[in-house]
C-alpha cells in the first residue's frame, strides 16, 4: 500500500471514530425526549458524558492536526494555522542546524569512528576475494576515466599552458643556487666526489677496461709511430702500458679518496664555490640559465618527444586498465587483499588507520556540514509551500491521524472518569 492510500485509510478511520462519538452523543441527548423513562438512568448519563468528551477531544485533535498542513478556514484562516507552509524558512533553518550540530559535529564524528572501528570492517571486507576484485575493477575504471580526461584535447592544452606558465615563473637560478648551497653546506659535494672516485676505481679494475686501454695504445702507436711500431712488440708494450696507466690512475684516485686535504679536493671545492658565486651574482650565468629554461619551453623536438612518450605511456596504461581480469586488475586486487589481511592481523596498522580516518573526518566534517546544511536549506526554501505541506503530511500524516483517534478515545475515557467523580461527589 502506497503512502497516499495509507494516509487516506488513516483519515477515514479517524473520521469514523469521530462520527461514532458524535452519533452516540446525539442519540444519548435525544433519548430522554423519546423515552422519558430513561432520563434518570445512570448509564445513559455516563454514555452521554463520555461521548461528549470523546467528540470534544476528537475535534480538538482534528483541528490541531489539520492546522499543521492547511489553513482553517481556507479563505480567511485564523492565526497559527497552515503552520508547515507558513514556517517553511524556519523549518529549513532549524532542520539544517539540527543536521549540522547532531550529525556532523567533530566530537560526534570522532565518537562514531572510535566505536565503529572502520579498520576492522575494511580489513574483513577486503579479505574476501570477490570484494577486493570488485574494488580493483572500480579503481581501474576510475583511473582509466582519469586518463581519458587527461587525453582530452582541451584538457591537454590547459595542462600544457599551465606547465609552461609554471616553468616561466620558476626561478631556475634561485632553485639551483639554493640546492647547491644546501649540498655544499653539509659538504655533500665531497661525498659525491668520493662516489665518483669509487666508480672510476671500480671501472679501471675491470679487465674490459684494461683491454680497451691496451687496444687504444696499439692504435696510437700504429698511427703516430708506424715505423717504430713495426720493430717493437706493440701488443706487449700496449698491455704493459695499460697496466702501468691503470696502476698510476688507481694510485692517484686512492690518494684523493683517503686524503681529505688533497689538493684536488681543494680544487674541486674552489670550482664548486666559484660556480655557485657566478650562479648567484653573474648576469652572464643568469642569461645562460634563462636560455636553458627557454629552450626547455620552446624546443619543438622536446615537446614532440614528450607528447609521443606520453601518448605511448597513456595508451599502454589505458589498455592495461581496461582489460577485464588483466594483470593490472589482478595486481590491484592482490594489493587490496593484502591490505585487508594486514588490517586484520596488524593491530598497530589498524589503530593508525582508524586514527587517520578520524582525523580526516574531523577535518572534513565542518566543510561537509556547511555544504549539506546549505543544500538542505536551499532545497526546502525552493519548494512550493503547498507542495511542502502535502509532502510532510504524506510522510507523517498517518501517525498524526492516529493522534486524532487516540484523542477521541482518551477524551471518552476522561469523560467517563469525570462522570464517575461527579456521581461520587453527588453522594
Amino acid at each position: 500500500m502506497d503512502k497516499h492510500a495509507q494516509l487516506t485509510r488513516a483519515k477515514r478511520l479517524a473520521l469514523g471514530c469521530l462520527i461514532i462519538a458524535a452519533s452516540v452523543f446525539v442519540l444519548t441527548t435525544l433519548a430522554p425526549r423519546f423515552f422519558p423513562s430513561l432520563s434518570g438512568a445512570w448509564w445513559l448519563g455516563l454514555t452521554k458524558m463520555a461521548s461528549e468528551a470523546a467528540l470534544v477531544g476528537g475535534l480538538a485533535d482534528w483541528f490541531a492536526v489539520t492546522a499543521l498542513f492547511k489553513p482553517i478556514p481556507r479563505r480567511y484562516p485564523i492565526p497559527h494555522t497552515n503552520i508547515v507552509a507558513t514556517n517553511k524558512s524556519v523549518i529549513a533553518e532549524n532542520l539544517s542546524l539540527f543536521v549540522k550540530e547532531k550529525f556532523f559535529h567533530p566530537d560526534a564524528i570522532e565518537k562514531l569512528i572510535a566505536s565503529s572501528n572502520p579498520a576492522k570492517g575494511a580489513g574483513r571486507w577486503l579479505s574476501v576475494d570477490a570484494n577486493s576484485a570488485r574494488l580493483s575493477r572500480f579503481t581501474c575504471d576510475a583511473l582509466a576515466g582519469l586518463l581519458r580526461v587527461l587525453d582530452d584535447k582541451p584538457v591537454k592544452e590547459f595542462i600544457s599552458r599551465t606547465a609552461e606558465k609554471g616553468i616561466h615563473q620558476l626561478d631556475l637560478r634561485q632553485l639551483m643556487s639554493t640546492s647547491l648551497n644546501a649540498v655544499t653546506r653539509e659538504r655533500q659535494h665531497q661525498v659525491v666526489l668520493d662516489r665518483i672516485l669509487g666508480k672510476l676505481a671500480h671501472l679501471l679494475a675491470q679487465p674490459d677496461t684494461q683491454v680497451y686501454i691496451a687496444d687504444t695504445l696499439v692504435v696510437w702507436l700504429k698511427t703516430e709511430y708506424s715505423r717504430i711500431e713495426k720493430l717493437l712488440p706493440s701488443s706487449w708494450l700496449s698491455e704493459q702500458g695499460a697496466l702501468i696507466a691503470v696502476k698510476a690512475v688507481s694510485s692517484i684516485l686512492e690518494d684523493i679518496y683517503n686524503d681529505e686535504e688533497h689538493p684536488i679536493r681543494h680544487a674541486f671545492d674552489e670550482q664548486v664555490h666559484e660556480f655557485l658565486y657566478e650562479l648567484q651574482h653573474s648576469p652572464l650565468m643568469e642569461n645562460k640559465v634563462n636560455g636553458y629554461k627557454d629552450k626547455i619551453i620552446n624546443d619543438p623536438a622536446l615537446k614532440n618527444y614528450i607528447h609521443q612518450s606520453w601518448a605511448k605511456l597513456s595508451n599502454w596504461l589505458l589498455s592495461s586498465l581496461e582489460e577485464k581480469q588483466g594483470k593490472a586488475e589482478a595486481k590491484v586486487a592482490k594489493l587490496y587483499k593484502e591490505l585487508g589481511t594486514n588490517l586484520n592481523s596488524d593491530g598497530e596498522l589498524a589503530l593508525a588507520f582508524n586514527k587517520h580516518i578520524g582525523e580526516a573526518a574531523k577535518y572534513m566534517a565542518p566543510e561537509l556540514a556547511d555544504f549539506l546544511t546549505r543544500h538542505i536549506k536551499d532545497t526546502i526554501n525552493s519548494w512550493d509551500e503547498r507542495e511542502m505541506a502535502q509532502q510532510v503530511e504524506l510522510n507523517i500524516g498517518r501517525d498524526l491521524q492516529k493522534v486524532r483517534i487516540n484523542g477521541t478515545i482518551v477524551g471518552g475515557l476522561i469523560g467517563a472518569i469525570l462522570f464517575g467523580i461527579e456521581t461520587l461527589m453527588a453522594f
Side-chain angles (χ1 to χ4, degrees), residues 220-426:
W220 176 74
L221 285 173
K222 288 181 179 180
T223 304
E224 299 295 332
Y225 304 98
S226 58
R227 293 181 180 179
I228 300 175
E229 187 268 337
K230 293 179 181 179
L231 301 175
L232 296 174
S234 56
S235 298
W236 181 83
L237 287 175
S238 299
E239 292 176 2
Q240 295 303 313
L243 290 175
I244 293 170
V246 168
K247 288 181 179 180
V249 175
S250 297
S251 178
I252 294 172
L253 293 178
E254 187 175 357
D255 290 342
I256 299 172
Y257 187 84
N258 294 325
D259 187 2
E260 294 184 358
E261 300 299 327
H262 197 279
I264 291 182
R265 286 189 180 274
H266 290 298
F268 181 63
D269 278 340
E270 290 176 2
Q271 290 295 323
V272 170
H273 287 99
E274 182 179 348
F275 175 76
L276 186 57
Y277 179 83
E278 290 183 359
L279 188 62
Q280 292 174 332
H281 302 95
S282 173
L284 180 61
M285 182 63 74
E286 182 180 2
N287 293 333
K288 285 184 179 180
V289 172
N290 290 331
Y292 294 143
K293 184 170 67 174
D294 293 336
K295 286 182 180 179
I296 292 173
I297 297 173
N298 301 318
D299 187 1
L302 179 61
K303 286 185 177 180
N304 185 47
Y305 174 76
I306 292 174
H307 288 159
Q308 289 181 354
S309 300
W310 168 251
K312 291 179 181 178
L313 177 63
S314 176
N315 291 333
W316 176 76
L317 286 173
L318 196 59
S319 61
S320 299
L321 292 170
E322 289 182 336
E323 184 181 359
K324 302 296 183 182
Q325 297 180 349
K327 292 182 179 180
E329 183 177 346
K331 288 182 179 180
V332 176
K334 183 179 179 182
L335 289 175
Y336 279 135
K337 187 173 181 180
E338 289 178 356
L339 175 61
T341 303
N342 290 330
L343 286 174
N344 283 330
S345 59
D346 192 339
E348 292 185 359
L349 178 62
L351 186 64
F353 188 85
N354 289 334
K355 178 182 177 183
H356 291 305
I357 288 181
E359 291 175 351
K362 287 178 66 177
Y363 174 77
M364 293 175 60
E367 296 293 332
L368 186 60
D370 290 338
F371 169 77
L372 288 177
T373 52
R374 185 168 58 251
H375 176 67
I376 291 171
K377 190 188 305 182
D378 294 342
T379 302
I380 294 177
N381 285 326
S382 66
W383 290 347
D384 178 75
E385 287 83 355
R386 183 178 299 178
E387 181 183 356
M388 175 185 172
Q390 290 175 352
Q391 289 298 320
V392 174
E393 183 182 16
L394 190 64
N395 284 278
I396 65 172
R398 184 183 62 173
D399 293 326
L400 292 177
Q401 298 306 316
K402 293 179 181 179
V403 172
R404 289 178 54 190
I405 297 172
N406 292 336
T408 304
I409 296 173
V410 171
L413 292 176
I414 292 175
I417 292 171
L418 291 176
F419 179 83
I421 295 173
E422 184 181 354
T423 302
L424 289 176
M425 291 176 65

Side-chain angles (χ1 to χ4, degrees), residues 72-107:
I72 303 174
R74 185 172 295 277
R75 188 168 184 179
Y76 301 106
I78 61 177
H80 306 297
T81 59
N82 199 23
I83 293 173
V84 172
T86 305
N87 294 275
K88 182 180 72 172
S89 59
V90 177
I91 293 172
E93 181 71 25
N94 291 336
L95 180 60
S96 62
L97 288 177
F98 174 79
V99 171
K100 180 178 181 179
E101 293 176 358
K102 300 301 181 183
F103 292 94
F104 290 95
H105 193 276
D107 294 338

